[in-house]
Amino acid sequence: MSKKTIFTSPLSLRLSSFNLSLLSLSSLRLSSLRLPLLSFSLILISQIVLAQKKDENIGTEVVNVVKPYTPTISDAFKVKETPALEDEDNTKKEVIKYSIFSFPVASTFTPSKGRAANVDKSESEKLFKNYLTLGFGNYTTLNAELFVTENISDTEYVGGMLRHLSSQGGIKGVDLDDKFYTTSLDLTYGNQQKNLTWNADLGYQNQVYNWYGLPENFSSTIIDGINPQHTFHNFYAGAKFSLNDSFFKEGSVKYNRFWDARGSSENRFYVKPSFEFDAFDEKIKTNFIVDYLGGSFEKDFFTTNAIKYGYTNFGVHPSVVINKNDWSVNVGAAVFYSIDNENSKNKLFVYPQINASLKVVGDFMIFYTGAEGSLDQNSYRDFSNENPYISPTLVIAPTDKQYDIFAGLKGKLASAVSYNIRGSFQNEKNKALFKSNNFTENSANEDYEFGNSLGVVYDDMKTVRFFGELNADFSKNVSFGINGTFSSYSTHFQEEAWNLPAIKLGSNLNVIITKKWYAGANVFFVGERKDLQVNTDILPLIAPSPITISSYFDANLNVGYKHSERLTGFLKLNNIGNQAYQRWLNYPVQGFQVILGASYKFDF
């Protein structure tokens, strides 16, 4: 019986070993391989196993393997697929909050202590609420002032001022009485609340002047019959108020009653409210004005006919300020509607109100320019304050200041030296000019009809003007200033710009000499002026021509001594050159004047 020998193929053994190794490896990486790879491996193994079972006896063969088979497994790749997420919470952007965890760190650094530099601290001067001033001088001059104020609560106060200045005259070469005096009393009440501040004023003024400016060569008989005294009276009442945190900013109201000893009277009442509000990111300010003036004179200069006048002016002035870079521009306009109450003539006026400035070199050089106009209401009281020797026979009318175009430079030459240079061109209609009245040598004339008074004439005038000033504080004890105005006038109806000078110069100096002594000086120069006055008794024989009033120079000096914080003495020297110059035609001024006095401060 033959014995059957079965040999197992080395390939079969190697395949079995491969299958075991593959199963082992598959189990190790099952977690990392995806389902397709695992399925492929299982199918491959099953096919090999089935193939072996189909024919287990394949015979004996000798197989020589030169190189052993080394199976490998390819790298696995992750499927590039973005899963769709349906959870809405996963789409929300999470808010990340940051916080700083701070904790102190110990430091061993100790800075050295600084020392303040020594500063010369001047002792502050005590302020007093009240003062009294008395001064006496030659020409029997008396100057007195009393100012009193007192708080009646935390928000209320009252005050009052009494002033008097008089002289008994004595000007050399004057034939008529030349004394004058003025006395005024002002009372005020104020209230300061958180959002409202207001005060009320009440006052009275009495002035006495004399028409002493007679032309030459009057007979003594006529002079003895002239009573040159003229008296003015003024009563006023008014109030001012301002509000915070409101579109209504401020306002004022005032009533004036003015009259004289010659039967003249005048009433004036005005209201000036001001509003401010924001629009288009800018502040718009609007001023309103209602100005009423009414008055009368007993007669005009040539006849016995009375003069009556009256005007009611309504005005509005809106403006807006625009700041851009180094430019500051104020753009606005002024509109007035004027009613002539006596002649039933109404007129509308429109004026520019434009101002602009540019910082060329910071505060050292500022260029400014603009164009302005206004309706200026003249009055008897305003004329008398400027020239008390006018006659009570005036024609009163407003001045139409059509435009004033100007440009200039201002700034600092150094930290303590400032300057201002300005040129302008001005056009005015109905410009008021003082001109001497014509006269006759008739004893029946009024006391102001002997060539010793001035009247008012009106003209359309153009003016070219240059102005310059320089101010310097050389130290805290010395200050100096100088200024000059140069004007050129072009008239339409009048032959000259009566009583207006072409040149005006001025300068001042103030010095604190010691803690006790101080001094000051001011000088001024006024150029020639033109006037016209005719003696109508000889008019057919001599043609009238303008009269030149000479220029004049005046120098004044004052010295003070502080005896204590309450008591101060002073000495004033006026018209040191002792010049009998004429301010108005035939009106020379007092010569060298000396006033000695003292001022005392006190509290209740």
Side-chain angles (χ1 to χ4, degrees):
M1 179 178 183
S2 61
K3 188 178 181 180
K4 189 178 182 178
T5 305
I6 300 174
F7 292 92
T8 302
S9 172
L11 179 58
S12 178
L13 294 174
R14 291 182 179 273
L15 289 174
S16 299
S17 176
F18 167 74
N19 292 334
L20 293 175
S21 299
L22 187 58
L23 289 172
S24 176
L25 183 59
S26 298
S27 63
L28 292 173
R29 302 198 56 171
L30 182 61
S31 60
S32 61
L33 298 180
R34 293 188 176 270
L35 182 60
L37 184 58
L38 181 59
S39 300
F40 174 77
S41 301
L42 294 175
I43 294 172
L44 181 60
I45 295 171
S46 62
Q47 291 295 327
I48 295 174
V49 173
L50 291 174
Q52 291 295 326
K53 289 182 178 180
K54 184 178 181 180
D55 190 5
E56 295 180 355
N57 187 7
I58 61 176
T60 58
E61 292 183 5
V62 178
V63 179
N64 296 323
V65 179
V66 178
K67 182 178 180 181
Y69 177 74
T70 306
T72 60
I73 300 176
S74 61
D75 295 330
F77 295 94
K78 182 179 180 181
V79 179
K80 295 182 179 180
E81 180 180 358
T82 302
L85 302 177
E86 297 181 356
D87 191 353
E88 294 181 355
D89 293 336
N90 292 330
T91 63
K92 295 181 179 179
K93 185 177 180 180
E94 185 176 356
V95 179
I96 302 175
K97 295 183 179 180
Y98 297 93
S99 62
I100 299 175
F101 177 70
S102 61
F103 57 92
V105 178
S107 175
T108 58
F109 171 73
T110 303
S112 58
K113 295 181 179 180
R115 296 182 60 187
N118 294 327
V119 179
D120 295 333
K121 183 178 179 181
S122 59
E123 185 179 355
S124 59
E125 185 177 357
K126 184 178 179 180
L127 300 178
F128 296 89
K129 295 181 179 180
N130 317 298
Y131 72 86
L132 172 65
T133 298
L134 288 174
F136 302 91
N138 58 337
Y139 297 97
T140 319
T141 300
L142 171 62
N143 184 17
E145 287 187 9
L146 174 63
F147 177 78
V148 177
T149 182
E150 188 65 27
N151 295 328
I152 57 178
S153 71
D154 293 338
T155 59
E156 299 173 287
Y157 66 92
V158 293
M161 172 170 268
L162 176 64
R163 287 174 289 187
H164 176 86
L165 176 62
S166 64
S167 173
Q168 298 306 310
I171 300 175
K172 186 178 180 181
V174 173
D175 296 323
L176 297 176
D177 190 0
D178 60 335
K179 68 181 179 181
F180 72 89
Y181 76 80
T182 174
T183 303
S184 62
L185 175 64
D186 301 279
L187 303 174
T188 184
Y189 165 82
N191 194 317
Q192 296 179 343
Q193 301 292 336
K194 181 179 180 180
N195 295 322
L196 172 64
T197 300
W198 66 279
N199 66 282
D201 300 312
L202 188 69
Y204 169 77
Q205 184 182 50
N206 175 238
Q207 295 173 291
V208 175
Y209 289 93
N210 283 273
W211 289 298
Y212 66 86
L214 280 177
E216 296 179 350
N217 303 321
F218 265 81
S219 66
S220 59
T221 303
I222 293 179
I223 293 175
D224 293 340
I226 298 175
N227 177 18
Q229 182 170 304
H230 193 203
T231 304
F232 300 109
H233 304 270
N234 182 64
F235 167 82
Y236 75 91
K240 295 180 180 180
F241 43 91
S242 61
L243 281 77
N244 298 325
D245 301 327
S246 174
F247 70 95
F248 179 78
K249 284 301 181 183
E250 58 186 7
S252 62
V253 56
K254 191 172 184 179
Y255 168 74
N256 264 299
R257 167 72 176 177
F258 184 75
W259 70 99
D260 65 15
R262 301 284 173 161
S264 310
S265 63
E266 181 179 82
N267 296 296
R268 190 171 189 179
F269 176 79
Y270 64 82
V271 180
K272 295 181 179 180
S274 178
F275 300 86
E276 186 176 291
F277 55 90
D278 296 330
F280 307 106
D281 297 329
E282 301 291 347
K283 286 189 178 297
I284 297 179
K285 184 176 182 180
T286 304
N287 298 324
F288 293 90
I289 181 172
V290 178
D291 188 356
Y292 166 80
L293 177 72
S296 64
F297 298 101
E298 281 193 343
K299 63 183 292 293
D300 62 18
F301 193 82
F302 302 101
T303 67
T304 58
N305 296 328
I307 301 175
K308 292 184 178 182
Y309 58 92
Y311 295 90
T312 304
N313 301 317
F314 299 91
V316 57
H317 174 202
S319 64
V320 58
V321 178
I322 303 173
N323 295 309
K324 186 175 182 181
N325 298 330
D326 290 329
W327 277 99
S328 178
V329 183
N330 189 330
V331 182
V335 181
F336 285 89
Y337 185 71
S338 180
I339 302 174
D340 187 341
N341 300 323
E342 294 296 328
N343 300 309
S344 300
K345 293 181 179 180
N346 307 332
K347 194 172 182 180
L348 180 68
F349 301 89
V350 180
Y351 303 102
Q353 291 288 335
I354 303 172
N355 287 275
S357 64
L358 171 65
K359 291 186 176 181
V360 181
V361 187
D363 292 333
F364 289 92
M365 182 180 291
I366 300 174
F367 169 76
Y368 63 93
T369 185
E372 297 178 345
S374 64
L375 183 67
D376 298 336
Q377 180 61 64
N378 299 305
S379 68
Y380 183 30
R381 178 176 181 269
D382 293 339
F383 286 147
S384 67
N385 287 335
E386 187 176 355
N387 183 355
Y389 308 111
I390 54 177
S391 62
T393 58
L394 307 179
V395 175
I396 305 296
T399 295
D400 177 13
K401 187 177 178 180
Q402 293 189 324
Y403 56 82
D404 181 7
I405 302 173
F406 60 89
L409 289 173
K410 63 181 179 180
K412 296 181 179 180
L413 297 177
S415 59
V417 181
S418 62
Y419 67 92
N420 186 12
I421 303 173
R422 171 182 169 134
S424 64
F425 176 73
Q426 186 171 301
N427 186 22
E428 296 173 286
K429 286 189 174 182
N430 257 16
K431 169 71 173 179
L433 302 171
F434 293 110
K435 177 183 172 296
S436 293
N437 289 319
N438 297 334
F439 66 97
T440 61
E441 298 183 40
N442 186 346
S443 59
N445 289 345
E446 296 288 346
D447 296 316
Y448 50 82
E449 292 181 338
F450 296 96
N452 55 340
S453 66
L454 292 90
V456 173
V457 295
Y458 294 88
D459 196 8
D460 297 342
M461 185 185 304
K462 294 180 174 62
T463 305
V464 178
R465 179 171 290 130
F466 294 95
F467 169 79
E469 67 175 347
L470 183 69
N471 295 291
D473 294 327
F474 297 111
S475 68
K476 63 180 181 180
N477 296 328
V478 181
S479 62
F480 170 78
I482 187 171
N483 63 80
T485 303
F486 306 89
S487 304
S488 175
Y489 308 100
S490 176
T491 59
H492 184 70
F493 301 107
Q494 301 295 323
E495 188 174 351
E496 297 283 348
W498 308 120
N499 284 291
L500 293 180
I503 301 175
K504 294 177 69 176
L505 303 174
S507 181
N508 62 83
L509 176 67
N510 293 289
V511 180
I512 299 177
I513 305 172
T514 65
K515 292 182 178 180
K516 294 289 187 179
W517 290 93
Y518 65 90
N522 69 83
V523 297
F524 55 90
F525 172 82
V526 177
E528 294 180 347
R529 289 92 62 218
K530 299 286 187 178
D531 203 342
L532 181 64
Q533 187 177 61
V534 178
N535 184 345
T536 56
D537 288 339
I538 58 176
L539 181 60
L541 302 176
I542 300 177
S545 61
I547 301 171
T548 299
I549 306 175
S550 300
S551 60
Y552 62 89
F553 174 84
D554 200 341
N556 307 285
L557 176 67
N558 67 87
V559 179
Y561 175 74
K562 295 183 179 180
H563 178 267
S564 65
E565 62 182 6
R566 293 178 179 270
L567 182 61
T568 301
F570 61 85
L571 174 67
K572 294 183 178 181
L573 307 176
N574 298 329
N575 195 4
I576 297 176
N578 195 29
Q579 299 185 35
Y581 60 82
Q582 296 183 19
R583 175 64 182 89
W584 308 99
L585 181 63
N586 301 324
Y587 277 90
V589 300
Q590 294 177 344
F592 180 59
Q593 305 158 43
V594 180
I595 299 177
L596 181 65
S599 178
Y600 182 74
K601 304 174 185 177
F602 60 95
D603 287 330
F604 289 118

